[in-house]
Structure formats: structure tokens, C-alpha cells
Amino acid sequence: MAKATPKIVLSASRDIPFDKLFLSDSNVRRVKNGVTIEDLADDIERRGLLHGLNARPEVDDDGNETGRFGIPAGGRRYSALAILVKRKRMDKTCPVPCIVKSASDPILAEEDSLAENSLREPLHPLDEFRGMKLLHDKGEREQAIAAHFRVTPAVVTQRLRLASVSPKLHEVYAAGDMTLDQLMAFTVSEDHARQEQLWKQLDHSSNRSPAFIREKLTEDMVPVSDRRVLFVGLPAYLAAGGTVPTRDLFEPDDGGWLSDPALLDGLVAEKLDVEAAAIKAEGWKWVAALVDLPYGYDEDYREIDATREPPTEADETRIAELRAEADALEEQWAGSGDVPPEVEARVTAIDVELAKLSRGWFTYDPQEQARAGVFIGLETDGTLYIDRGWVRPEDEPEEEPDETGDGEALAETSSDEPAGDDAHSVPANSEPATVPGLAVECGDDDEDVIKPLPDRLVAELTASRTVALQDAFAQNPSVAFAAVLHAMVLTTFYQVRTETCLELSVNRVYFPFQAPGLRESAAVKAVEERHAGWKARLPKSDKDAWDAIQQLDGADQAALFAHCAAYAVNAQWEPVPKHGGGRISAHGVARRVEHANVLARAVGFDMVAAGWRPTVENYLGRVTKPRILEAVAEGTEPQKAGLIDHLKKGDMAREAERLLTDSGWLPEPLRMAEVEPVLPIADMPVDGGDAEALPAFLGDEGEDEQDSAYAIAAE
């Protein structure tokens, strides 16, 4: 009969006076790591000793116990107790609980020391989060918890937020099927049902990144950095009953998100009405206040002249005070890497007020002001954009009749498109015309048919292309000159103008269809900055303009010529009535776009280089699912399109935007069409001998570059 395995016997626990203990040479810990001994001493002083020490009796050379005990395991606790004795917070004879093993124990003391430190397992992060939440639920303040565990209050707040995520997601995280970064992303929402729903949706998504989770959980919210929030002010939103912004404690969020867009829009409308009333009281006939003024809002309006009055003495005094305050703040915070937000806000406010005061004041002729109005919009930083002094066509004063009776107004004629089949033709891929101003929304079409792009979308895309092309055109004077010359030759010698995209008078091009935010695009800002620079250089009166232009050198004349001509570039496709009768035929639109491609090639234009990227707002959210999949397949790989073909349209569009980032993909209306090369002008025979030399202001460019520019633009 086999003998039973003997039961283990645990070593006895004894209270040993502290002065009888010493740190054994068998303790394997040599390198300081983790919580410092001082911090551990503070913790033992507060809550007492949580774990006893491991001790072995000391023996002399004859094997007799000396009455002292070495500590092979628990050396940090022993050192912390020694600090408390030194602080006189503990007597040196105070009993210390110890687990005492025999001096002749077969297990080496070094093994005990190594085992105690290597076999221990730290808390799972989830247990730490839950533990802090239990303390908080029992009345402990966040600052107290932070002090007890030697962390900052912000860390405690983060742990508590993680503990507040749905328990079902906690289980997923504990099982190792969710990363900590993903769990942190879910903290931007307190809705457990929404958290669980989104996690289930991620099973069918190739994108499970923390950024995507945050985006999905905040898609119905308004960022605090939105221009509307900055305009109204967060305190006003909260005072009106809005909830405290949702914050992301783990990523920069620019203040978080607001959950009540309707309330915010109401507050914006009210404040805009107040601002508009105050400005109208200055003596204007009307005020148009919009959150987002479109590009070309001043179409067909006449700007009235303003007289600038220099700053008053009171203004100069205020300017000096503001500059002194700004200098003091700069000196106080110079070299500091962490400037408080309120200081930065004050510096910004000073800059804004200084700029306003330094400009002085503008006055207008009372009669002109009484028939003019003001445009108001919101800048991206929430400040008001105010553009005063615009007269509508219907508000222009009536002209006095000719008292002699000899002069009758001459009827203006227009060079309309020639009648014929072309005037009523419609491109094969044309869709029904849309009503300007109404958004065209594509349904969630699951059919595998790639339908033509909606009319409005094509018009919006080509509007963006036109503005960017105008900017590129303005930077290439030689091409601009050749293009204008080409248009003039067409109208002078051939009585046609449909072969060119230039609207020459020069007539500035405006867009009945345009995507939101076009006025703030890089191309628009570049054009407007260039325009402001020339306006400052030119004389105020048009009577003096000729002499001023003659004083410009060749390069400046060329640059000014290109800038003016750029406003006439029209590369926008637009829908036309199916049965004709509109201001332009389908044939005319097609030829305009065709020549715009020639012009784009001449200036080396590229919409990708101009900064256009496919997004949910400007393309992907406006087309059908087959179009989205087509874009991903063309811009990346066909396999990637297959990864998202099961998603709903909204999710598919957002995932496609991520996949197409930096891909360089463009929808068909924005692509560069291939153009057949033509015979350079320099190689064409010219009647009457040698060709006339180029204008003087173009003479400083290389001959090859000139010939190439003329050849392409003259197609």
C-alpha cells in the first residue's frame, strides 16, 4: 500500500523587534525600481504594514542562533520601516510580523527572494480602474485618491472614466479582444447602448482604430472648436440649457463636443440678428447675415467708396495701453513652454483690438450709404466678417432722361450660341437638370449599376476646379496673355467664342453651384490676397489708372494682366435644359470644359497639387455605393474595395475617405483630359515675313517656354 504524500507545514509567524532584524545579503533586489522607499514609508505610515517580512535566523560559525534575523525577502518594506524609525514615527523595538523559516531550510534564501519578486502579478488595468471607482463611490475624492496612490488627479479622472464604460465592453477588454486604446476611445460617450452597438458594428468593419471609434461616437455632435460655438461662446450655450461638453480625456479634443446642435443654431441666429441690427443702425439700407458666406457673394453688387479717418486721440491712447499690456505679457511669459490658455486668449484679444483701432474709421457718403448694405459672415475663429458698402442692382439710382431727346439708349446685343442642333443637344451622360440651391442627395442604392454623377455634384466639383485653375492661371503670365490673345482672335476673325473657356469682357466668373467652404479654400485665399495687394497699389480713381499702369515695369504689367484675366476663366460644367432655351447650350458647355483642359495643361495644373482630397462632404457622401467602391478600387486596390462592400453607405463613405487619403485619386470631372499636341505657333508660316515680336513685358522669359505656352493655349 503506497504511503500518502505528507501535508505541507507552513512556517510560523512571529513578531520580532525591529532592532533584531537586518537586510540579508541573500536579497536579490539590487536595482531601485517602481515606488521609492520614501513613498513606501509614507504609505506604511498611513495604512500600516500590509505584508509581513520573510526572515531567517542568523547563526554563528558553530551553527548557533545569534538572536538576530536576516531579511532575504521584503527588503524594501524593511528599508521603509527603517525610515520610519529614523523619523521617530516608530520605535526601534516595535514588533514586526515576520514569516520565519529555519536556518537549515532546504530552499535557499536567494530562491525565496527571487520567487517573491518574480511570481507576483500586478493588477490587471481593469481591476485598477474598478478599484478606484469603488473608492470614489464610497466617498473618496479624486484628489485624495491621487494622493494615496502617488498619481495626479487627472490620472484618477481617466481611470474613473474608463471604469464607467459599458460592463459588456469591460468583459471584451478583460478577454483580450479589445485594446486599451480602443477602450479609451469609447469613453467619449456615456451611452452604454451606443457603445455596445458600435462595438458590434465594428465586427463588420475593416477599420477598428480608436480614431474611427471616436469619430462614430461624436458624429452627431458639434466640436467646441466650431465657428458657431466660438461665436456664441460656451458660457452662453450652457446658460441656455446646453449640457457640459463631452470631453476626450486621452486625446486633444479642442474642448470637446456639444450634444445639442439645434440649441446652438438658435443661439447663433439670435446673436447674428442682434449684430445685424446694430450694424444696420449705422445707416445702411440692408444687412445680409449668414453663418457661411459663399465665394462670390458680392456678384453684381457695386462697392461704394469709403473715406478713411485716422485714429482719434482716444484711439491712440488706447493703442498705447494695449501695446504696453502686450509687452508686459510677452516679458512675463517669455521662454515659458506652458502659457495658460487665458493668457493666450488675452494676447489674441489685444491683437484683434489693436488691428481694429490701427485701421482707423471709415465714413461713407450719406446718400450712397442709404442705398447700400452690408454682408456679415463668421470667420473660422468665430469672429465676425463684416463687408460694408455694397449696392444691389435694383437699388441703383435711376438715370436722368436725355432732355434733348436726341439720345436714345442703344440696345445691347449678346453673342448667343448659334441656333441649330447643337443648341438643343444634350450629352449622352446628362441627367435631369437640378434646381439651383437645392442639394442633390444620392440614395443608398445597393444595385451594382454605376449611374452618372448628379448634375449638381459635377457642377460643384468643377466650381472647385475653376477656382484652383484661376489661381494657377494667374501665376503664369505668358499663358494668360496667350489665352486672352487666342480668345480675341476667335471673336475678331472667326466670329465665334465657344472654342475658349475665357469669358472675356473681362467678366468675373461666379458659381451658382459650390460646395460649402469654397470661400475659405487655399485657392480663393491666394486669389483674394493677390487682389488686395494690387488694389493697394493702384490709384483710387479709374481716371488715374492708365498712367499708373504705364509706370509699372514689364513683369508687374504681366502679373497684373494675368491676375485680371484669371477672373474670366470658367471651367465649371453646368446642367442645361434638355430642350434648349437656356443661356448656354450643352455644346457650349462641353467646348468650354474642353478648352479649360487645354488651359490647365498649359499651366501644369493638377487638382491634387491644389489640395483637393475626396471626403464624405465633397464627394463620397454624395454618390451611390457603386461609385464609392469604384473610387476605392481605382485609388487603391480592388481588394480594398471588397473589404468595405458590406458596409452601410455612411460607414462605407467614411471608410473610403480614410482609404483614399493621399492616394491622389480624383473623380472624373476633376481629372486632366488628354490633349492632342498641336503645331507650335513658331513653326507656322506667317504672311508678310517674320512674326511680330512678343510684347515687351513678356520678353524676359525663355524662347522655348514662350513658344510652348503659345502653342498649347492657341489650340
Side-chain angles (χ1 to χ4, degrees), residues 520-671:
E520 297 164 356
S521 65
V524 168
K525 290 185 180 298
V527 171
E528 290 181 342
E529 181 179 353
R530 190 181 303 112
H531 186 82
W534 279 114
K535 187 175 182 180
R537 293 183 62 181
L538 293 173
K540 184 175 181 180
S541 173
D542 60 320
K543 297 179 180 179
D544 302 325
W546 175 259
D547 292 337
I549 292 174
Q550 299 308 306
Q551 295 175 12
L552 298 176
D553 60 24
D556 280 347
Q557 287 182 351
L560 178 58
F561 176 86
H563 173 73
C564 296
Y567 282 115
V569 175
N570 188 357
Q572 184 176 35
W573 180 92
E574 57 184 291
V576 297
K578 280 187 173 181
H579 304 292
R583 63 182 181 85
I584 189 171
S585 67
H587 173 74
V589 172
R591 297 307 298 268
R592 172 209 295 169
V593 174
E594 181 181 349
H595 182 258
N597 291 331
V598 176
L599 198 63
R601 186 181 179 188
V603 298
F605 175 72
D606 181 7
M607 276 299 287
V608 175
W612 194 91
R613 300 291 185 272
T615 66
V616 174
E617 291 74 20
N618 66 17
Y619 183 81
L620 299 169
R622 309 286 301 281
V623 297
T624 60
K625 293 174 67 174
R627 281 282 186 184
I628 299 174
L629 296 175
E630 176 191 47
V632 174
E634 291 179 351
T636 58
E637 301 173 356
Q639 295 85 344
K640 290 187 178 180
L643 294 176
I644 65 173
D645 60 1
H646 61 280
L647 298 177
K648 292 184 178 180
K649 181 182 173 182
D651 295 335
M652 180 186 290
R654 281 184 284 272
E655 182 64 10
E657 178 179 336
R658 185 185 69 86
L659 293 173
L660 290 172
T661 300
D662 298 329
S663 67
W665 180 86
L666 295 172
E668 187 174 354
L670 301 185
R671 297 175 187 173

Side-chain angles (χ1 to χ4, degrees), residues 146-204:
H148 298 337
F149 294 95
R150 306 290 171 178
V151 295
T152 64
V155 170
V156 175
T157 303
Q158 290 176 335
R159 302 295 187 267
L160 294 177
R161 181 69 68 85
L162 287 165
S164 68
V165 175
S166 167
K168 291 185 178 180
L169 297 190
H170 281 169
E171 294 175 5
V172 177
Y173 172 56
D177 295 328
M178 178 190 294
T179 66
L180 179 58
D181 286 339
Q182 289 173 322
L183 184 67
M184 290 190 294
F186 277 102
T187 63
V188 299
S189 172
E190 297 180 356
D191 187 343
H192 286 185
R194 179 71 181 106
Q195 293 172 354
E196 295 164 8
Q197 178 189 46
L198 177 57
W199 179 252
K200 187 175 182 180
Q201 291 176 354
L202 294 181
D203 289 339
H204 306 287

Side-chain angles (χ1 to χ4, degrees), residues 336-651:
S336 176
D338 187 14
V339 179
E342 56 272 15
V343 175
E344 293 184 348
R346 179 55 188 157
V347 171
T348 301
I350 291 175
D351 291 340
V352 171
E353 189 174 355
L354 277 175
K356 181 178 180 180
L357 292 173
S358 299
R359 283 196 302 267
W361 305 94
F362 293 87
T363 59
Y364 300 85
D365 178 83
Q367 291 185 348
E368 285 277 70
Q369 185 173 2
R371 66 171 62 99
V374 182
F375 289 102
I376 299 178
L378 293 185
E379 300 284 20
T380 54
D381 62 356
T383 57
L384 278 179
Y385 172 84
I386 304 174
D387 194 2
R388 294 177 171 87
W390 295 94
V391 179
R392 296 177 297 201
E394 60 267 29
D395 294 332
E396 292 285 7
E398 296 183 1
E399 296 184 3
E400 295 292 335
D402 189 352
E403 296 180 358
T404 63
D406 296 334
E408 294 183 357
L410 296 177
E412 296 184 357
T413 59
S414 60
S415 57
D416 293 333
E417 299 289 332
D421 293 339
D422 286 345
H424 304 284
S425 63
V426 180
N429 65 343
S430 175
E431 292 187 8
T434 58
V435 179
L438 296 182
V440 178
E441 298 294 342
C442 296
D444 191 358
D445 189 357
D446 290 326
E447 297 180 4
D448 294 328
V449 178
I450 296 180
K451 295 183 178 180
L453 293 176
D455 289 351
R456 178 174 179 121
L457 177 57
V458 176
E460 288 183 1
L461 292 171
T462 51
S464 299
R465 184 182 191 231
T466 298
V467 173
L469 179 55
Q470 288 175 346
D471 180 37
F473 184 86
Q475 299 179 55
N476 199 317
S478 61
V479 174
F481 180 83
V484 174
L485 177 61
H486 169 240
M488 292 177 178
V489 168
L490 290 178
T491 54
T492 303
F493 295 94
Y494 303 97
Q495 291 79 45
V496 295
R497 59 186 303 271
T498 57
E499 305 296 324
T500 178
C501 68
L502 265 63
E503 310 266 357
L504 274 182
S505 285
V506 172
N507 295 320
R508 183 171 177 176
V509 176
Y510 295 93
F511 310 108
F513 305 97
Q514 59 179 269
L518 180 62
R519 186 173 66 89
E520 297 164 356
S521 65
V524 168
K525 290 185 180 298
V527 171
E528 290 181 342
E529 181 179 353
R530 190 181 303 112
H531 186 82
W534 279 114
K535 187 175 182 180
R537 293 183 62 181
L538 293 173
K540 184 175 181 180
S541 173
D542 60 320
K543 297 179 180 179
D544 302 325
W546 175 259
D547 292 337
I549 292 174
Q550 299 308 306
Q551 295 175 12
L552 298 176
D553 60 24
D556 280 347
Q557 287 182 351
L560 178 58
F561 176 86
H563 173 73
C564 296
Y567 282 115
V569 175
N570 188 357
Q572 184 176 35
W573 180 92
E574 57 184 291
V576 297
K578 280 187 173 181
H579 304 292
R583 63 182 181 85
I584 189 171
S585 67
H587 173 74
V589 172
R591 297 307 298 268
R592 172 209 295 169
V593 174
E594 181 181 349
H595 182 258
N597 291 331
V598 176
L599 198 63
R601 186 181 179 188
V603 298
F605 175 72
D606 181 7
M607 276 299 287
V608 175
W612 194 91
R613 300 291 185 272
T615 66
V616 174
E617 291 74 20
N618 66 17
Y619 183 81
L620 299 169
R622 309 286 301 281
V623 297
T624 60
K625 293 174 67 174
R627 281 282 186 184
I628 299 174
L629 296 175
E630 176 191 47
V632 174
E634 291 179 351
T636 58
E637 301 173 356
Q639 295 85 344
K640 290 187 178 180
L643 294 176
I644 65 173
D645 60 1
H646 61 280
L647 298 177
K648 292 184 178 180
K649 181 182 173 182
D651 295 335

Side-chain angles (χ1 to χ4, degrees), residues 300-355:
D300 297 331
Y301 288 71
R302 175 176 63 87
E303 185 177 11
I304 63 176
D305 293 330
T307 301
R308 180 182 180 274
E309 301 290 342
T312 63
E313 293 184 5
D315 293 336
E316 294 290 357
T317 302
R318 179 59 178 164
I319 289 174
E321 294 174 353
L322 291 172
R323 286 176 176 169
E325 183 181 356
D327 292 341
L329 289 174
E330 182 178 357
E331 182 178 355
Q332 179 182 356
W333 296 98
S336 176
D338 187 14
V339 179
E342 56 272 15
V343 175
E344 293 184 348
R346 179 55 188 157
V347 171
T348 301
I350 291 175
D351 291 340
V352 171
E353 189 174 355
L354 277 175

Side-chain angles (χ1 to χ4, degrees), residues 18 60 88 128 136 140 155 207 327 361 437 577:
F18 178 77
D60 57 20
K88 301 188 182 302
E128 181 183 349
H136 190 264
E140 287 279 8
V155 170
N207 186 2
D327 292 341
W361 305 94

